[in-house]
Amino acid sequence: MWPKAVCVGLLAISLGLLHHLHPEISDAALDYLSSSLQSIASREPASSSPPIEEAFSAAWDRLIVAPSKHWERVAVGVNACVDVVLSGIGLLQALALTPQSSEDHMVLNTQEDLAETFLHYMQQGAAAERFYSDAKSFAHISRTASQDPRAQHFVGGNAALIAQRLAANPDMEVLLCGPVGPKLHELLDERVFVPPTSLQEEDEYHLILEYKSGEQWGSRQAPAASRFIFSHDLSNGAMTSLEVLLSSLEVFQPKLLVLSGLHMMEGLSREAREERLREAAASLSEVPSDILIHLELASMTDGDLMRGIIYQQVFPFISSLGLNEQELLFLSHSASGPHASISAWSGIPEVGIVSDILFWILKGSKNEASSLTRIHFHTLAYHILATIDGFWGNQVSAVAAGARVAGTQACASETIDATRVKLKTPLEFSTSREQVGSTVRVSAQEPVAVWIREGVTFHFTPVLICKEPVRTVGLGDAISAEGLLFSEATSQ
């Protein structure tokens, strides 16, 4: 208020001085000048438009509504561990490793393999996960990591992270089956129920090597913040808790089963892996048909394992799938799908290419080899939820909720802070590379774009990327969990 009072005072002084110096000016003219100046002084300053990040966040809040029916009980399994999170470059330097060549090793056998594979993915700004084969060497690396005063311990494993996120909903009962040791049990939300048969004396530890956008190791620089995960995890690798999970369904009676951890089987021999996958398929085939199954994929390198999951062992039984850009491209490579000639993404994955692969996966569900009707795809800059028409509802809210939680969790904030996030994805794009796709636009007024292709509906929204992420691990799991939380199965 005080600026207006000052203006009024100055106005009075100015008019008085004007009348004193120029007495010939008529009273009518002075009245006109007085009213005009008062009008100018009383005007409110022009309102500026909010930043586009703030506008998108507000638009999501308006769009997101709870489904008319929610999941009352959800069973989750089977990989669970303790994540030890620390600086990747800091750990490698503590191990006296130097940046030499970069190479993608499918299995890590030595510390040099670790350094080369870490560098390979760091320079792409891409997440990856590998099995470390040498138990003695891994123990030495783990001890070195634990001695870092900045190392932190968190709930780890896709299943445990999804269970932890779902348990934040007070109206939902969550069952977690996986190798849960004392440290992990301590870290889990008290609303996550772990059956006694899943408890074990020792924890499984995974090392999460994080790096920031722009961070350098030698001459290589990370274009985006991400992480590299590795472990020598035999319990999760053998999926020892799968039978415990499935045997609990009859008593727990969930409507949704979330399955993850198949990628951990890459640490097994080929014969053991094939046998375990056949056993898993036999067990999944006995899940009651009224329980929907969501599969959360993770970083994989074995094409035979991926093909087994797609064609024979797992896809025939699942209704929903969650994955990121690396897993999507590897799936297409493994099964000779669309755009399989692309060896790696360059920058932000092109929306038209992603939607082509998603469409191809879902069209495969129209034969007897799959019951898949929903895919939640997430990459750093945007998310897509693709569904076969007639099976799922509230997907606009689901994709928006997943994007919102990506921004809040990465920045460790309760709500989106527009000053800490940035919009990076193009707001106009083609919906297909294979066909003559339509051009679609998103805006702060319409933050979710929707298009339909031959019975498959796509829901797209950008992500507000955290400029300085506090933690990148578990983002994909939180995104998928949030998407499921706001999804409604209409029929299957």
Side-chain angles (χ1 to χ4, degrees):
M1 293 295 293
W2 68 267
K4 287 188 177 181
V6 171
C7 289
V8 171
L10 290 174
L11 177 64
I13 294 170
S14 300
L15 287 172
L17 184 62
L18 184 64
H19 186 267
H20 175 75
L21 295 175
H22 301 280
E24 71 277 8
I25 297 178
S26 67
D27 290 340
L30 286 172
D31 288 343
Y32 176 78
L33 284 170
S34 175
S35 62
S36 298
L37 289 170
Q38 284 180 10
S39 174
I40 293 171
S42 64
R43 286 178 191 167
E44 295 291 340
S47 60
S48 58
S49 299
I52 190 169
E53 291 82 4
E54 184 179 324
F56 263 93
S57 176
W60 284 336
D61 290 340
R62 290 191 297 270
L63 271 181
I64 297 170
V65 295
S68 57
K69 291 190 301 182
H70 70 274
W71 316 98
E72 294 180 359
R73 287 183 294 276
V74 181
V76 188
V78 293
N79 60 328
C81 64
V82 175
D83 280 346
V84 183
V85 183
L86 71 163
S87 163
I89 294 173
L91 174 62
L92 296 175
Q93 289 174 338
L95 294 169
L97 294 168
T98 56
Q100 301 294 329
S101 60
S102 65
E103 184 177 345
D104 186 10
H105 296 275
M106 302 298 102
V107 174
L108 308 180
N109 298 308
T110 65
Q111 292 184 22
E112 288 69 30
D113 289 352
L114 168 63
E116 290 174 355
T117 308
F118 173 85
L119 188 59
H120 173 83
Y121 284 99
M122 190 201 81
Q123 66 189 7
Q124 298 179 40
E129 185 167 351
R130 292 291 181 269
F131 178 76
Y132 200 100
S133 64
D134 189 317
K136 186 176 180 180
S137 177
F138 180 79
H140 168 67
I141 297 171
S142 296
R143 283 193 300 272
T144 305
S146 298
Q147 290 166 3
D148 188 327
R150 295 162 296 181
Q152 296 175 290
H153 294 77
F154 296 100
V155 171
N158 308 90
L161 286 163
I162 290 172
Q164 188 85 332
R165 183 70 197 179
L166 292 174
N169 183 343
D171 298 324
M172 184 177 293
E173 295 179 46
V174 181
L175 172 77
L176 171 64
C177 294
V180 177
K183 182 64 176 178
L184 177 57
H185 207 195
E186 173 192 326
L187 293 169
L188 283 170
D189 189 298
E190 61 182 10
R191 288 188 292 266
V192 176
F193 174 69
V194 180
T197 46
S198 284
L199 297 175
Q200 59 183 41
E201 293 182 0
E202 294 185 2
D203 287 282
E204 296 285 357
Y205 287 91
H206 289 202
L207 301 186
I208 317 295
L209 308 191
E210 291 195 320
Y211 50 85
K212 298 177 182 178
S213 177
E215 193 168 4
Q216 280 190 289
W217 194 34
S219 61
R220 315 295 175 89
Q221 186 177 60
S226 194
R227 74 280 178 190
F228 181 80
I229 306 173
F230 68 105
S231 67
H232 180 79
D233 185 341
L234 299 179
S235 295
N236 284 303
M239 296 185 68
T240 56
S241 297
L242 179 61
E243 283 72 23
V244 174
L245 172 67
L246 299 180
S247 66
S248 302
L249 300 181
E250 185 176 355
V251 174
F252 189 65
Q253 294 189 334
K255 290 300 179 184
L256 177 65
L257 168 63
V258 179
L259 180 65
S260 64
L262 297 179
H263 63 289
M264 297 296 298
M265 287 195 288
E266 288 190 327
L268 301 176
S269 67
R270 181 174 299 275
E271 295 76 15
R273 182 170 62 237
E274 291 175 353
E275 177 62 26
R276 192 69 185 102
L277 199 53
R278 281 193 294 269
E279 293 170 353
S283 298
L284 289 172
S285 68
E286 297 176 2
V287 174
S289 59
D290 63 335
I291 300 177
L292 301 186
I293 303 176
H294 171 87
L295 173 65
E296 190 69 17
L297 286 182
S299 179
M300 297 173 64
T301 61
D302 189 288
D304 289 336
L305 177 58
M306 179 63 87
R307 282 185 288 274
I309 291 171
I310 298 170
Y311 293 123
Q312 301 160 336
Q313 315 294 352
V314 180
F315 270 37
F317 309 110
I318 67 172
S319 300
S320 177
L321 177 68
L323 76 177
N324 68 15
E325 75 279 9
Q326 304 297 330
E327 295 138 20
L328 182 77
L329 193 58
F330 183 67
L331 190 156
S332 190
H333 284 165
S334 301
S336 302
H339 310 294
S341 61
I342 299 174
S343 60
W345 300 109
S346 177
I348 298 173
E350 186 180 321
V351 176
I353 294 175
V354 169
S355 65
D356 285 341
I357 302 175
L358 296 176
F359 178 77
W360 166 75
I361 297 171
L362 284 172
K363 289 295 283 187
S365 70
K366 296 200 173 182
N367 60 46
E368 295 180 359
S370 175
S371 59
L372 185 63
T373 54
R374 176 185 181 273
I375 304 176
H376 195 167
F377 168 82
H378 44 86
T379 188
L380 180 68
Y382 65 86
H383 297 168
I384 297 177
L385 245 171
T387 57
I388 291 182
D389 294 346
F391 292 94
W392 296 87
N394 209 41
Q395 295 304 278
V396 169
S397 291
V399 74
R404 183 174 64 181
V405 81
T408 57
Q409 180 154 317
C411 284
S413 57
E414 292 293 323
T415 58
I416 294 286
D417 182 345
T419 64
R420 299 177 61 195
V421 295
K422 60 184 176 182
L423 188 68
K424 197 172 181 180
T425 190
L427 301 183
E428 180 176 306
F429 50 85
S430 174
T431 60
S432 175
R433 171 78 80 83
E434 280 187 329
Q435 301 180 344
V436 180
S438 59
T439 298
V440 172
R441 298 173 181 84
V442 289
S443 66
Q445 291 71 43
E446 296 184 6
V448 177
V450 180
W451 68 94
I452 300 174
R453 178 178 172 184
E454 298 179 33
V456 175
T457 299
F458 296 83
H459 310 78
F460 168 99
T461 197
V463 171
L464 299 178
I465 304 169
C466 188
K467 296 175 184 176
E468 296 182 0
V470 176
R471 187 167 180 244
T472 61
V473 178
L475 275 184
D477 303 309
I479 291 162
S480 288
E482 200 77 354
L484 287 168
L485 192 63
F486 282 88
S487 291
E488 181 178 345
T490 55
S491 64
Q492 294 292 324

